[in-house]
Amino acid sequence: MVLHTTPYSSACLHFLDGLSWSLVFPCYWLLDRLLASCVATSLEKRQRSQDPCSFLTLCVLISAPLYLLLLLASLPFALLGFIIWAPLQAIRQPYLYTYRRPDKHQAEQGQAGPGGVGIGEWRPQGRSFCFSSANVCLLPDSLARFNNLSDTHRRAREVGKRIRNGASRPQIKIYIDSPTNTSISAASFSSLATGFRRTSSLDQRPDHTHTTNGPADNETEPLTECPIHSSGATDCPVHPSAGDQGSSEYCPLHPAGTNSNADCPVHTSGEAPDCPMHSTGAHNGHDCPLHTSGVQISISAPEPDPQEEEAETGNHRPGEQAGGDTGSMTASRESLARYHGSDGGVGISSNNTLSHVPRTSIFKRPGRKRRHGDETFDHEISAFFPANLDFLALQEVFDHGSTTRLRRQLHRYFPYVLSDVGQYGWKGCCSRFKFLNSGLMLASRYPILDARYECYPNGRGEDALAAKGALFAKVHVGTSHQEQRVVGYLTCTHLHAIEADASVRCEQLDLLLQWGAEFRQSSSQPPAGEKVLEDLVAFDVILGDLNFDNCSSEDKLEQQHALFTQYKDPCRLGPGEDKPWALGTLLDPSGLYDDEVSSPESLQKVMENEEGRKEYLVFPPSKSQCPASSQKGRKIPLKGNGRRIDYILYSDEGLQQDWKLEIEEFSFVTQLAGITDHLSVAMRLAVSTGEEEP
């Protein structure tokens, strides 16, 4: 169970790899730029049409011949570098594991840094874990343009910033216990929820943050407005008074200078006795617009983000240049999620300051479940990644420079990352040459104990040029009273993309199940000669882009695969039928830059509307329409809510006796609007042990 922290076993091989790539890189970059100049995105076409002097077109006409001349001049050096580089790929490690060390202060508290979580003792009532999967389409720029996307390095940085900003925001959950109203719609409070200041109640930042990898970039997050009170609020019950803990500049919810209660949009005059948002001694909830008979609110604030630069080792290539930050377009408004807990979710201490709520939710069975229709869990279209996200699986992280930039951003929230997964070149004498790796990336807030990568051997066509496969990981999520490790298994995969090759995908699913069983068996074996207690398995989850949906008639073979007997799909009723609320995750590339879907909030609103979904989602092809044609403005009948090809599946087989899994919420996430052609998916899974808390 040795994790590979360097791409090669010796420094000499690492030097040769860097030297060879420095010879290849100029040719690679020039070829990428030459091809990119020939393929314009819809946004670039719009900009050129609005250019009265045709300056942009003139730049392309001048730059293309220049790129061609330089490309021809760099070919001899690239050939020499390729002769050295290609054989080295056969002995290169199949993935790169990077770990961001917590600073001293956080290590003393048992935390793994901002966003990290301590392992700690496994509590009898269990825990809940949040998973997310996203296809980010980080291909080389020239290839990404065929999906109407460009500027891959900038997008990689932006993807990382949006994910960590969404996952590290404070978590507000509201549960109303009322005979007439049993839930609160998050959307109904969007006008009140405009964002959080991403600090803890003391607004202290650690002096240093360390990583296993050397220096990185420096960023400061902007302050945003309070999601509870409008500007000018005073006597806020969640903020210390001037005589308690100093001025309100230390408040994690308000920026400096908010000291008035008169315009509070949540409370008008009275306060409910059980509401954690009210100060001690509050007595009446009749005037509170959020309470009818009782309300519970939990606020979980993340740890502060370090200001120091972070380091990256890992597979840097000579010739890569740091991309400039164009500024995060991250949405500022905060979604209000529903609160499922009962008496353990209070996030306000007796002195009206935010207490530190553990970032991993402690699951307690609620007295009453809130349901949407016949469901026992929440489902929503969210403009944000879930707060306190624990595990993230990404696909199509192909471009090497983008991998480095994305990993650097994710390490600000996730301490443990598996990246640069897959092998280039030839794998055996009969396989095709792999110009791209697998494109998989896995990030975790929990320690990774073991990992394995397997490459699908049956790729066809253009898909055979990438080392698509499956990444398996075993994570340590707790320790029982008997000193047994509590672990979870994660699988990240990306299946064959060509629509007509259903048999290829079914073969890959067979291999996925086989490899997964072999990995769980091998990773559970104790080292030779040692006697250790058997691991307790908390969950087994598959995340990824499977490239088939559950409604297309062309995908019937995959829909009936044995995968769905061993693993459960929260969005699926059965083969060929999704639940009514399930949403397609593949966006129509031609509309990515339309104003109606250019931001997370606007895309969220469009996805909540049936006509909007028909306009901007890809639907299963029909006999009356060519699959390659644009879908915008069509009038033909459509089945379902679009092609849902991004999945999160879970299995309850192999768990301990009396342990149960229960979905708390499932989300379709629009936070990556404008920078990828997929919606992201997220799921929060509660693991209960069946024991009572002492």
Side-chain angles (χ1 to χ4, degrees):
M1 298 184 183
V2 178
L3 296 170
H4 306 301
T5 57
T6 59
Y8 294 96
S9 57
S10 72
C12 180
L13 294 175
H14 198 288
F15 171 77
L16 288 175
D17 180 75
L19 176 63
S20 62
W21 182 250
S22 66
L23 295 173
V24 173
F25 181 79
C27 181
Y28 163 80
W29 185 84
L30 290 166
L31 178 62
D32 186 51
R33 298 317 308 157
L34 179 62
L35 295 177
S37 64
C38 300
V39 182
T41 65
S42 60
L43 179 62
E44 292 170 339
K45 291 177 181 178
R46 185 191 311 168
Q47 291 172 342
R48 292 175 187 177
S49 65
Q50 297 172 352
D51 182 13
C53 299
S54 300
F55 178 74
L56 296 176
T57 304
L58 182 62
C59 288
V60 173
L61 294 176
I62 295 175
S63 62
L66 181 61
Y67 286 144
L68 180 59
L69 289 175
L70 294 175
L71 175 65
L72 295 175
S74 66
L75 280 177
F77 301 99
L79 180 60
L80 176 61
F82 182 80
I83 293 174
I84 303 173
W85 176 83
L88 288 174
Q89 305 312 303
I91 55 177
R92 186 181 176 278
Q93 304 295 355
Y95 60 82
L96 181 65
Y97 167 72
T98 52
Y99 165 50
R100 175 177 177 270
R101 274 200 320 272
D103 63 81
K104 182 178 179 181
H105 172 71
Q106 291 164 335
E108 290 174 353
Q109 295 183 350
Q111 299 170 351
V117 291
I119 300 303
E121 186 176 319
W122 183 261
R123 303 192 181 188
Q125 73 270 28
R127 290 180 179 177
S128 67
F129 303 93
C130 189
F131 309 83
S132 183
S133 178
N135 185 315
V136 291
C137 197
L138 295 178
L139 289 153
D141 193 55
S142 56
L143 299 181
R145 289 170 175 270
F146 289 97
N147 288 348
N148 202 25
L149 293 164
S150 64
D151 203 350
T152 298
H153 286 184
R154 181 198 64 82
R155 287 193 298 112
R157 186 182 179 90
E158 185 67 22
V159 165
K161 290 174 69 175
R162 292 195 190 186
I163 291 175
R164 66 180 176 83
N165 286 346
S168 61
R169 61 195 168 91
Q171 183 177 12
I172 292 185
K173 296 182 178 182
I174 302 176
Y175 171 71
I176 291 186
D177 185 11
S178 167
T180 58
N181 185 12
T182 59
S183 65
I184 288 183
S185 170
S188 65
F189 287 90
S190 60
S191 61
L192 306 182
T194 57
F196 272 100
R197 185 184 183 192
R198 299 176 58 254
T199 65
S200 66
S201 58
L202 297 182
D203 197 19
Q204 294 177 345
R205 298 186 179 273
D207 293 334
H208 296 89
T209 299
H210 308 280
T211 72
T212 55
N213 316 302
D217 59 270
N218 184 6
E219 295 182 29
T220 302
E221 294 297 330
L223 302 180
T224 52
E225 296 180 3
C226 171
I228 303 299
H229 298 96
S230 57
S231 58
T234 63
D235 300 324
C236 173
V238 300
H239 301 98
S241 63
D244 288 339
Q245 295 187 7
S247 68
S248 61
E249 63 180 319
Y250 295 108
C251 168
L253 296 180
H254 291 96
T258 56
N259 270 335
S260 165
N261 188 33
D263 299 323
C264 174
V266 176
H267 304 101
T268 52
S269 59
E271 296 177 346
D274 295 325
C275 176
M277 298 294 290
H278 298 111
S279 59
T280 305
H283 38 278
N284 195 345
H286 295 296
D287 296 325
C288 177
L290 286 184
H291 298 87
T292 51
S293 61
V295 92
Q296 291 175 333
I297 303 176
S298 173
I299 301 180
S300 176
E303 288 299 318
D305 211 10
Q307 295 290 331
E308 310 302 330
E309 292 189 350
E310 296 180 8
E312 286 290 344
T313 73
N315 213 6
H316 285 281
R317 297 291 191 193
E320 287 183 6
Q321 300 177 358
D325 183 11
T326 58
S328 175
M329 296 179 286
T330 305
S332 61
R333 292 207 302 270
E334 170 71 45
S335 294
L336 297 180
R338 298 165 182 80
Y339 178 64
H340 282 276
S342 52
D343 54 0
V346 176
I348 310 298
S349 61
S350 59
N351 63 351
N352 294 334
T353 60
L354 278 172
S355 60
H356 289 285
V357 181
R359 276 178 292 285
T360 299
S361 305
I362 301 300
F363 173 71
K364 294 191 73 174
R365 189 173 301 278
R368 181 194 304 185
K369 293 179 181 177
R370 292 174 298 105
R371 302 187 178 190
H372 294 187
D374 296 331
E375 292 292 353
T376 58
F377 60 88
D378 291 342
H379 45 83
E380 66 172 346
I381 303 171
S382 173
F384 301 91
F385 280 88
N388 300 333
L389 180 62
D390 294 308
F391 306 101
L392 173 70
L394 300 178
Q395 302 86 47
E396 292 197 13
V397 189
F398 288 117
D399 182 75
H400 195 89
S402 300
T403 300
T404 302
R405 289 163 173 79
L406 177 57
R407 181 174 57 223
R408 183 179 299 133
Q409 291 295 325
L410 293 181
H411 262 312
R412 290 180 175 269
Y413 179 80
F414 295 100
Y416 312 93
V417 175
L418 294 171
S419 60
D420 212 359
V421 179
Q423 293 178 319
Y424 301 91
W426 288 281
K427 186 180 180 182
C429 59
C430 298
S431 67
R432 293 191 183 183
F433 188 88
K434 304 298 183 183
F435 289 93
L436 300 171
N437 64 9
S438 71
L440 302 177
M441 179 180 284
L442 183 65
S444 170
R445 291 205 296 169
Y446 289 89
I448 298 174
L449 299 175
D450 194 11
R452 178 187 299 174
Y453 160 76
E454 298 286 353
C455 180
Y456 294 128
N458 60 343
R460 295 180 185 174
E462 60 269 24
D463 254 30
L465 301 178
K468 284 189 174 182
L471 175 64
F472 303 92
K474 179 181 181 179
V475 292
H476 185 195
V477 297
T479 304
S480 71
H481 293 294
Q482 294 77 26
E483 299 300 322
Q484 289 177 277
R485 290 189 310 189
V486 182
V487 302
Y489 289 99
L490 300 168
T491 301
C492 177
T493 190
H494 189 188
L495 298 189
H496 189 70
I498 301 176
E499 292 184 4
D501 292 339
S503 60
V504 173
R505 282 187 290 273
C506 285
E507 292 173 7
Q508 293 177 347
L509 291 176
D510 292 336
L511 291 171
L512 184 70
L513 294 177
Q514 176 188 332
W515 291 335
E518 293 172 353
F519 174 73
R520 290 188 294 273
Q521 182 178 3
S522 63
S523 64
S524 61
Q525 297 296 327
E530 294 186 18
K531 291 185 178 180
V532 295
L533 295 175
E534 182 181 359
D535 291 336
L536 304 177
V537 179
F539 56 80
D540 180 6
V541 176
I542 295 177
L543 311 98
D545 181 351
L546 303 188
N547 272 314
F548 66 87
D549 67 83
N550 194 45
C551 295
S552 298
S553 57
E554 290 82 0
D555 295 334
K556 286 184 178 179
L557 198 60
E558 300 99 312
Q559 295 163 9
Q560 298 172 356
H561 194 272
L563 173 75
F564 296 103
T565 62
Q566 298 185 32
Y567 289 83
K568 298 180 180 180
D569 181 358
C571 303
R572 169 181 163 121
L573 287 173
E577 184 179 8
D578 273 348
K579 294 179 180 179
W581 52 265
L583 195 65
T585 59
L586 188 59
L587 297 170
D588 185 359
S590 63
L592 291 180
Y593 301 107
D594 289 3
D595 292 338
E596 292 83 357
V597 294
S598 59
S599 69
E601 300 98 329
S602 59
L603 180 57
Q604 177 192 26
K605 292 179 182 179
V606 167
M607 292 298 103
E608 290 172 346
N609 179 272
E610 183 178 0
E611 293 302 318
R613 292 194 292 269
K614 291 180 179 179
E615 186 79 6
Y616 289 101
L617 287 178
V618 172
F619 280 76
S622 67
K623 296 180 180 179
S624 58
Q625 178 170 356
C626 174
S629 63
S630 174
Q631 303 186 134
K632 298 187 66 177
R634 62 186 177 181
K635 304 298 182 181
I636 59 173
L638 301 174
K639 181 181 179 182
N641 286 322
R643 294 203 67 200
R644 183 175 61 88
I645 64 176
D646 297 273
Y647 290 78
I648 302 181
L649 312 176
Y650 70 98
S651 174
D652 52 11
E653 298 179 5
L655 299 182
Q656 302 307 119
Q657 189 175 7
D658 297 330
W659 285 31
K660 294 182 180 179
L661 299 180
E662 183 174 334
I663 300 175
E664 289 186 335
E665 58 187 5
F666 194 96
S667 306
F668 296 92
V669 182
T670 64
Q671 195 166 5
L672 301 183
I675 54 178
T676 184
D677 57 349
H678 285 243
L679 296 181
S680 307
V681 290
M683 178 182 73
R684 197 176 300 275
L685 188 66
V687 184
S688 60
T689 63
E691 302 177 22
E692 295 294 333
E693 185 176 11

